Structures are given as C-alpha cells and as structure tokens.
Amino acid sequence: MSGLAMPKPNAETLRRRSEIVADMRIIVPGEGVVDAANEMRAFESDGLTAYRQVPLVVVLPETVAQVSRLLRYCNDRNIRVVPRGSGTSLSGGALPLEDAVLLVMSRFNRILKIDFPNRIVVAQPGVTNLGITSAVEQEGFYYAPDPSSQIACSIGGNVAENSGGVHCLKYGLTANNVLGIEMVLMSGEVVRLGGGHLDAEGYDLLGVMTGSEGLLGVVTEVTVRILKKPETARALLIGFPTSEQGGQCVADIIGAGIIPGGMEMMDRPAIHAAEDFVHAGYPLDVEALLIVELDGPGVEVDHLITAVEAIAIRNGSTTCRISQSEQERLSFWAGRKAAFPAVGRISPDYYCMDGTIPRKELPRVLAGMRQLSQKYGLGVANVFHAGDGNLHPLILYDANVPGELDKAESFGADILRLCVKVGGVLTGEHGVGVEKRDLMPEMFTQVDLDQQMRVKCAFDPNHLLNPGKVFPQLRRCAELGRMHVHRGQVAFPDIPRF
C-alpha cells in the first residue's frame, strides 16, 4: 500500500497470530476461518483495487452469537477488526489491515421476514440489494435504492455507506428506506435500533449508524421499507450538443417542480463505451445524454413527459426518444447500469470518483473537469446521478505506466476540491473510506472532525473497529477531553473538575 498511510501494525498481535487463528476456529467452527495466505488474497481489497493488503485472518461467522463472541474476544485483547460485506465498496472502506481480523458478513444471507401489510422486509446483512426486490416483486413490490452494483452489493454494505442509486432522487437513499437494525458493538453487546415502525423515539442513533462505514458497530440484521411498484414508468432519452446544456436542462426540470423517478447523465466517452457494450440504441452524435424516468398514474406520466420534452427543446436538445414499452425503458437503463464495466473496456484502468454538488453548478463543474483533464493529461468519462448532483467521474489511466496512478489520484482529489468549492461535499454514496480520508480537512474544520471523533469514541473507545478509515488523523479518545492549562491556570477555575 505504497503512498497510503495506515495505522502501524501491532507487533504483539502479529506475534500471537497462530494463537488468534486457533481461537477464531473455536468461535467459528467448520469452514468459517481462512488463514492461508493464497486463500486470503481473495479478500485483500474491495472495489478500490488500487490498494491491497492481506489481512491477519479472515473469519466468516454465521450467527449473531459468533459475531458477539468474536468482537468481545478482540476487544478484550486489543485486536483490530475490519468489517466487510460483499467487498464492492469503491472507497477502500473494507480495505484489510495486516494486524486485523477481517470480519466477512456474506454468510448472513437469509431473508428473515416479509410483511406485505406493513410493507417491510427483515433481512440479514449479506442479502444482496437486488435480492430484496426479487423476494417481493411477485406481489408487485420493490426496494427503491438501486446502486449500479445492486446485483452484488449487500444490504449491510448499503447501510454502512448509505448507498443511493438511480432512483434516490425521488425515493431517497438507504437512510430514507431503512427502518431498523440489529448491531453488535465492539464490546460484544447486541443492540437494536428502530424496527418495523416508522420513527423511533429518542436520539436518532439509526441515522448515526447509517453511513458510519463500519466504524461504530457490525450490523447483523436490517429492516427496510418496500414500496408498491408504480402503475406506469416511462423514460426519455435526450441528447444535447454540450454537457452544459444537459446540466441546465436538469436544473430546469427540477425548477419546474418535476421530480423524476430517476435522472441520469453521461458524457460522450461514457455514451460510446456503454453503447458498444450493451447496444442500447444510444445516439452517438451528442456530447451529453440525459435519461429521465417518470413514474406514477398513466395520465400524470403522459403530462410530465410532454413538460420534460418541452424543457429539453428549450435547452437545445437534438434528439429525444420516449420509451414505448417496458422492454425499451429497461434498455435505456441497461447502458447506464453497465457504464462502469463498459468504461473498463476502453481503458486499462479507471479511478471512480464520487462527489456531490448543487445542481445549478453542474455546467461549471463539468467545465472545470475538462480543464483538469487537460492539466493532468488523463481522460475522464462522466456518469452521474444528475437529479441530486451526485457525480461519478471515471478517470482513465494505465497502472502499468509509472506515475499514472499518482496522477489519477491527484486529478481525483482536485475534482473533489472543486465539488467542495462550489458548495458540494466529498461523497454522495461511496463513502470516505481511505480514498477521501485525507481530504476531510477540505470540508471540515478540526473542531468538526473532533466532534465526529467523539461519536466514534462513544461506540468504540479503543479505536479497534475499522481504524485508518474516514478520519485523517487518529487521536486517542482521552485527547479529545483534555484540559488546556496556561501558565499553571485552567480556564474558569471556579468550575468543579471531575
């Protein structure tokens, strides 16, 4: 992991590896422990494959009791733990550590309860995102958040990263669709937050856990809301001569009070890559392609299609296709869903970024990315959730060319700095992980980061869960509560000290 600063391995843990592996086999008997170096290679990275590290040992528990015993064992012996779902994270959130147990939750793969009257599903964290929809679609229901990796990504990982997808503009992110979780703290204590009801009383700890990237606890059960499929869903495929015109069309659609079920945009490199890959019928003579899906009652959808088409024409669109069947609608989305692997066919490597900006800044940021592309001499293909301003620039490079990975990382960092500069944020749904960790001071002051660290300390005071992620500087919890003494005097000496 050259160039990436991670916590220094604990020499005592490494020395006791054989003992730890033997104890893991007692806690998780059978085939639940992987300790051979060649077999652990399968777990050495997540979706951010630029960084790799073989873990101390890989453990795949099957029960909550096993997870609880494992975490308590590690907590008592000061052993680090890195939780992992399906390993599709694109920010290095599940990157192993040399001295850490890699806790893989993929064997928690059962749906425990389907409650159609109350419109909820209770699932174990290893169930795939698409698996939930597949379990309920025969009754006309579905689970709304739909990341591009939904065929593989786990619902537990979705909770960890607060994943979105093409339909999050109208139906919300994971945080808006999760009603409750069961989790295990580093101490081994099992805790339930929320449940099958709409809102829980007290502090919103469920909101704190959603998007916490495995730093606060290990999720062992998830309760999600499911929705009835809309009566009608149709999509428009709209081409523009420039990305700026496409970006302005997005802003005008939202400004008109229209909230599409999904609104996605691709630029020329992404359009050509996707069309060559899936043959969706995309126009190849445009610079930007906008996919707008409208859903609801048939009469409403027809009215909105007319309104969106008029807005597109005012913004200079050169092509506009409207889906006439469900098959055609799905074909429009097929290219967008396959955009990431499609780009992999035109470049030896690509670096997928994830930043979010105010919609009105789309033209400015797209122009800025073109300038950065020229500065670094690297191509970029843009695929993004246009409706909520969540960008996914794919920086094209060749890892076999010395220095190109470093240039790609610098290029990506400048894109994220640009996002923050225009009033956006460092991540929309991929998380911070290790990828954006050192950019956190671009967005947060030290006071902000210390407050976030205090939340971490409340759940995991010894920093044993997923260390080295999210926070650019590891600090002991005791440091955050220290008193400032100046010339032998503390501030407000009359206040009692405990």
Side-chain angles (χ1 to χ4, degrees):
M1 295 191 296
S2 60
L4 180 65
M6 295 300 285
K8 183 179 179 180
N10 185 315
E12 176 63 16
T13 299
L14 296 178
R15 186 186 66 79
R16 295 171 48 224
R17 180 177 184 271
S18 297
E19 174 193 336
I20 293 168
V21 170
D23 289 340
M24 290 296 108
R25 294 192 188 281
I26 295 172
I27 295 172
V28 183
E31 298 179 348
V33 177
V34 180
D35 66 319
N38 61 327
E39 295 176 355
M40 292 194 294
R41 289 285 175 193
F43 302 92
E44 67 182 357
S45 76
D46 56 15
L48 185 63
T49 56
Y51 304 117
R52 301 170 185 269
Q53 173 63 59
V54 174
L56 180 76
V57 60
V58 177
V59 184
L60 298 91
E62 290 185 284
T63 68
V64 177
Q66 289 174 350
V67 175
S68 176
R69 285 186 63 195
L70 185 151
L71 291 178
R72 186 182 302 112
Y73 173 94
C74 291
N75 189 58
D76 292 344
R77 292 159 181 80
N78 203 40
I79 300 169
R80 293 164 173 159
V81 177
V82 175
R84 174 187 169 108
S86 296
T88 57
S89 166
L90 292 169
S91 63
L95 178 69
L97 297 175
E98 181 184 358
D99 63 339
V101 173
L102 188 66
L103 176 57
V104 182
M105 299 298 290
S106 56
R107 296 173 84 179
F108 279 73
N109 56 10
R110 293 185 297 125
I111 290 180
L112 304 176
K113 178 182 178 182
I114 298 176
D115 183 348
F116 289 116
N118 289 307
R119 299 192 174 190
I120 63 170
V121 169
V122 180
Q124 292 184 318
V127 173
T128 62
N129 174 288
L130 189 59
I132 294 178
T133 292
S134 299
V136 299
E137 61 185 355
Q138 78 278 4
E139 296 293 332
F141 287 86
Y142 74 112
Y143 178 62
D146 55 344
S148 295
S149 59
Q150 66 180 147
I151 193 172
C153 66
S154 67
I155 192 65
N158 288 179
V159 171
E161 304 292 355
N162 192 20
S163 303
V166 300
H167 290 96
C168 68
L169 171 63
K170 185 172 184 178
Y171 297 106
L173 300 162
T174 300
N176 307 110
N177 290 275
V178 169
L179 297 174
I181 61 171
E182 177 188 75
M183 60 180 282
V184 184
L185 302 178
M186 191 66 212
S187 63
E189 184 179 1
V190 180
V191 177
R192 281 192 174 273
L193 304 174
H197 46 282
L198 183 60
D199 288 308
E201 68 288 344
Y203 292 123
D204 184 17
L205 295 179
L206 180 60
V208 171
M209 275 299 299
T210 306
S212 60
E213 302 193 36
L215 270 70
L216 306 182
V218 177
V219 174
T220 51
E221 182 185 293
V222 184
T223 301
V224 301
R225 75 170 86 240
I226 51 174
L227 302 177
K228 197 73 175 175
K229 286 188 177 179
E231 174 189 313
T232 304
R234 297 176 68 191
L236 296 88
L237 199 63
I238 311 169
F240 294 91
T242 68
S243 293
E244 285 78 7
Q245 287 170 292
Q248 190 58 51
C249 182
V250 169
D252 290 351
I253 290 172
I254 300 296
I258 301 170
I259 306 297
M263 186 155 53
E264 300 289 301
M265 191 167 162
M266 295 186 285
D267 67 2
R268 177 181 281 270
I271 295 166
H272 283 249
E275 177 60 21
D276 290 343
F277 190 43
V278 300
H279 308 293
Y282 290 172
L284 299 178
D285 58 346
V286 298
E287 288 296 322
L289 188 64
L290 191 62
I291 306 173
V292 183
E293 180 169 291
L294 301 160
D295 59 18
V299 174
E300 179 186 4
V301 170
D302 290 343
H303 169 73
L304 293 177
I305 284 175
T306 302
V308 169
E309 191 174 16
I311 293 171
I313 291 171
R314 288 201 299 271
N315 280 283
S317 65
T318 54
T319 66
C320 182
R321 278 177 59 197
I322 303 169
S323 66
Q324 302 301 318
S325 66
E326 179 67 4
Q327 182 178 356
E328 188 174 21
R329 182 186 73 85
L330 293 175
S331 74
F332 287 1
W333 285 116
R336 168 60 187 90
K337 289 280 189 179
F340 288 7
V343 168
R345 301 175 75 218
I346 64 172
S347 175
D349 301 280
Y350 68 80
Y351 190 32
C352 178
M353 303 306 298
D354 166 54
T356 301
I357 60 172
R359 282 183 294 264
K360 66 184 179 68
E361 299 291 350
L362 271 172
R364 176 182 172 186
V365 171
L366 290 172
M369 278 196 274
R370 279 198 296 273
Q371 294 173 0
L372 290 171
S373 178
Q374 294 172 356
K375 172 185 174 181
Y376 286 100
L378 297 175
V380 60
N382 278 294
V383 180
F384 49 90
H385 308 309
D388 61 357
N390 186 196
L391 311 180
H392 292 314
L394 305 174
I395 300 169
L396 314 181
Y397 74 101
D398 186 348
N400 293 317
V401 176
E404 282 219 343
L405 173 58
D406 292 336
K407 282 204 298 182
E409 290 178 326
S410 298
F411 185 178
D414 280 350
I415 289 175
L416 295 177
R417 290 188 181 99
L418 177 60
C419 290
V420 173
K421 182 179 178 181
V422 302
V425 296
L426 292 171
T427 179
E429 58 175 339
H430 291 177
V432 176
V434 296
E435 177 200 39
K436 308 177 189 74
R437 180 195 65 189
D438 297 333
L439 290 171
M440 289 285 274
E442 299 284 338
M443 183 173 169
F444 298 106
T445 67
Q446 190 59 52
V447 173
D448 296 332
L449 292 171
D450 284 350
Q451 286 297 100
Q452 294 180 44
M453 182 67 83
R454 287 185 174 96
V455 176
K456 164 73 169 169
C457 291
F459 285 82
D460 177 27
N462 296 319
H463 290 311
L464 295 176
L465 263 179
N466 219 8
K469 318 292 173 59
V470 179
F471 294 104
Q473 178 185 2
L474 278 178
R475 301 178 66 186
R476 295 181 182 276
C477 293
E479 293 182 71
L480 299 172
R482 60 190 174 190
M483 292 187 297
H484 178 65
V485 180
H486 180 64
R487 293 181 178 177
Q489 296 291 320
V490 298
F492 309 106
D494 54 314
I495 297 177
R497 310 286 171 175
F498 300 97

